Amino acid sequence: GAVVSQHPSRVICKSGTSVKIECRSLDFQATTMFWYRQFPKQSLMLMATSNEGSKATYEQGVEKDKFLINHASLTLSTLTVTSAHPEDSSFYICSAVGTSGGVFTDTQYFGPGTRLTVL
Amino acid sequence: LAKTTQPISMDSYEGQEVNITCSHNNIATNDYITWYQQFPSQGPRFIIQGYKTKVTNEVASLFIPADRKSSTLSLPRVSLSDTAVYYCLVGDSTSGTYKYIFGTGTRLKVLA
């Protein structure tokens, strides 16, 4: 399957600072990327969907000014958590769908996740 | 908004076959059903995907009845390393915009 990477894998920051998480598709062109948040022992919750070159579409209840998403290329999307607070501490996971070798697949392939801890 | 439901947890012994069901009553006509495996602090890993009837790969089988309102992931001869949370994923367009809804997840524990 396709390979998706995330960086960093773990980050600890102070309250009020901003944190950027990168999501890269390594072997395919990610036309659409998804960002999820997962709290302990819960399912993944979709935060937003972004298409390459377009503004992200946020799920209800997700603050777009707090969670800035950029999808400027077919291999990279970033999620910036602005003015992070302890309640933003969570496991953030990206996924991507796209084209490999000219063949489109809508199967989502997930990154390894980023553990954010806000002190 | 369509919901998917799965059993919260299951226990099994090594070498047994495990079947995990997912209910998705409002699946859209063109949606595929995808199952993922997730270990703690890792992203979900693709297991299998299907549209209808039966799909089989090297690790699992997926059974989908004609009405597609449910699906069953079948893991043959599980081992301890199969202890994980299993999610089914279907697309949902009932609200007018396409989005993916993860199931509640089934926590499988394989015992020696």
Side-chain angles (χ1 to χ4, degrees):
Chain A
V3 179
V4 177
S5 69
Q6 279 184 245
H7 178 79
S9 59
R10 182 184 297 268
V11 58
I12 301 173
C13 69
K14 293 182 179 180
S15 184
T17 60
S18 294
V19 174
K20 179 184 285 188
I21 303 170
E22 292 186 350
C23 177
R24 294 183 184 273
S25 60
L26 300 185
D27 55 357
F28 69 106
Q29 296 179 319
T31 51
T32 303
M33 284 186 166
F34 305 86
W35 286 95
Y36 293 84
R37 181 167 51 181
Q38 186 176 34
F39 293 106
K41 297 192 183 300
Q42 294 187 20
S43 185
L44 283 76
M45 294 169 46
L46 180 63
M47 299 175 66
T49 302
S50 71
N51 293 307
E52 184 262 338
S54 302
K55 290 184 178 181
T57 301
Y58 291 81
E59 294 301 301
Q60 192 173 7
V62 178
E63 300 175 57
K64 64 179 181 181
D65 294 330
K66 180 170 184 61
F67 298 99
L68 302 179
I69 292 172
N70 182 279
H71 189 175
S73 79
L74 288 173
T75 58
L76 174 64
S77 176
T78 60
L79 167 67
T80 302
V81 183
T82 63
S83 186
H85 288 93
E87 57 266 29
D88 298 322
S89 298
S90 188
F91 192 53
Y92 292 87
I93 311 170
C94 70
S95 70
V97 299
T99 304
S100 178
V103 178
F104 177 79
T105 173
D106 63 359
T107 300
Q108 285 189 64
Y109 289 97
F110 288 83
T114 297
R115 173 76 59 193
L116 170 63
T117 302
V118 184
L119 302 177
Chain B
L1 192 65
K3 283 190 175 182
T4 57
T5 56
Q6 301 174 228
I8 294 175
S9 65
M10 296 179 70
D11 288 347
S12 180
Y13 288 96
E14 280 190 292
Q16 289 187 330
E17 178 185 79
V18 171
N19 296 308
I20 306 174
T21 60
C22 178
S23 173
H24 30 77
N25 291 322
N26 293 342
I27 187 170
T29 302
N30 296 324
D31 288 337
Y32 277 76
I33 300 157
T34 311
W35 282 80
Y36 293 89
Q37 176 192 56
Q38 187 181 31
F39 296 111
S41 297
Q42 294 187 26
R45 185 177 73 96
F46 173 84
I47 301 174
I48 197 167
Q49 185 180 65
Y51 183 80
K52 62 180 179 180
T53 63
K54 177 182 176 182
V55 179
T56 298
N57 62 21
E58 63 275 10
V59 298
S61 294
L62 178 58
F63 299 92
I64 305 169
D67 65 6
R68 302 197 335 118
K69 293 185 176 182
S70 66
S71 60
T72 300
L73 172 71
S74 181
L75 304 173
R77 299 180 298 281
V78 294
S79 63
L80 295 176
S81 61
D82 293 319
T83 294
V85 179
Y86 292 81
Y87 293 98
C88 70
L89 181 64
V90 298
D92 172 38
S93 60
T94 58
S95 61
T97 58
Y98 193 81
K99 65 176 64 175
Y100 292 97
I101 303 293
F102 265 85
T104 52
T106 298
R107 194 169 298 271
L108 173 66
K109 185 174 183 180
V110 180
L111 306 169

